[in-house]
Amino acid sequence: MPPRPRLDVYVLNNGEDEHDIFYALPVGLGMPRQFARGVVTAERHEIHLHSDVHRSHGYRHALLVADEARGVDDDLRLAALHARREGVDRFLVLVLPSLRDSRGRLDEVERRVRALLHELGVDGDATPVLRGPPTRSAGRDKGRTQATMRELLAALDDLPAVTPAPTLTALSAEFAIEADMLDLVYPLLLPATLIDEVRATPAETRALRGGGGGSFEGGEPYLDQDEAWPHCPECDRVMAGRLQIDSRDALHPVPAGHGLFVVFTCPELSCGGEVLRHHPSPDPQRRRRGEAEGRGDFTARPTILRPSGRCWLLPEPEVFVDEHPDTAARLGEVAYNDDAAAVFHRIARAIGVSGLIVCQHLGGHHLTTVGTVTPRCELCESPCVLLAQTDYADDQRCLWACPRHPERMVHRIVP
């Protein structure tokens, strides 16, 4: 059978944790659990579900999720408005009931969703609308869930046949506050590259890009032929390659002058010594010959970091307040002096960024639970750019570099 054409669909106003469509749809269809890069196969299309809504993707289809308990609240309005401004012109609506039966309430939610779409230039009456069951019942009420998810899959398959709405050219005054909030936050979006982990051998890491680079953890790092293998500055042990990031693997723009970044760490865990190196123009012909000198418990079980797609990220709310105090103050004013971090989190949900499970990525913003701010260059005080964030036990490993002085790097384990 020839491959089905690809259909990219945003999921708007989605739930959180295990109560979302990225969980309910594959589980309801009897598939393994998948997250924000989930792929489901319908009769005519291979459907790719996405969370972050951005015009650069060029996607025009969206599934708008309305929850009975919340109704058409501010978050749903933000999500629908942002999608329309980013070029979405075909909608499918899924109304999710609560765990109790309240059909009258569902009718009212559906009516208000159709009215909202009308206000945004979409023919709300012609927009297809499906109902429940609650996504949190996906693992329990299998009969209802499977029937509804099959119906949802068929409706997603039919989305290209929905008459597209005209381009949104003007907004009514009713959306002025939402538009101002989105305008304040939008410039903070940074592009990033999603990465998948691929188990490999040290020899496979050495062979990446013909022996001249590649991104991986563990394995055999690149050194120039005249470059000495590093020894720990703390205890003088021979160091091991911990992380290598190749800027050429990024699917998003990177600063000019950024090349290959290598992190060496001491094999003695209690030591903590590290050496950071940058190669502006790695060349397989200039690679140091022979086997890697340094060994650690991680070098023999490397992981290749393979780029798999682009996304857009916002900083964590606490980091946003610390790093952008003027924007945070203005956002609080626009939202009637509401807590800026809370408003920022709502906008991140509307844009779809908070729904991305991307603890591993190149570029973008780092994810943190403790508000760790972005480091600055020791030479020029410029904010460093994130090169990569990868999983490290229950924390994340982050590597930053100055956009102007790439040899100035910062390597941290971030909670």
Side-chain angles (χ1 to χ4, degrees), residues 70-150:
R70 294 162 52 200
V72 181
D73 60 2
D74 293 340
D75 291 353
L76 190 144
R77 287 174 58 88
L78 273 171
L81 171 61
H82 176 67
R84 284 292 286 138
R85 298 209 312 178
E86 295 302 296
V88 173
D89 57 10
R90 293 177 175 91
F91 286 85
L92 168 66
V93 177
L94 176 64
V95 180
L96 299 176
S98 64
L99 294 176
R100 54 188 173 81
D101 186 18
S102 51
R103 295 181 182 177
R105 173 66 176 162
L106 292 180
D107 292 340
E108 175 62 15
V109 172
E110 178 179 331
R111 184 192 67 77
R112 294 187 61 193
V113 170
R114 293 186 186 277
L116 172 64
L117 293 175
H118 272 299
E119 293 171 357
L120 293 172
V122 179
D123 186 350
D125 294 333
T127 299
V129 177
L130 305 178
R131 294 191 180 184
T135 51
R136 67 184 63 203
S137 70
R140 300 191 299 271
D141 190 355
K142 293 184 178 180
R144 285 184 67 199
T145 301
Q146 290 176 358
T148 301
M149 292 303 112
R150 285 195 295 268

Side-chain angles (χ1 to χ4, degrees), residues 41-53:
T41 302
E43 182 179 351
R44 295 184 303 279
H45 298 95
E46 182 181 80
I47 300 173
H48 292 243
L49 302 177
H50 303 273
S51 175
D52 60 316
V53 182

Side-chain angles (χ1 to χ4, degrees), residues 24 27 131 253 349:
V27 170
R131 294 191 180 184
R349 284 195 61 193

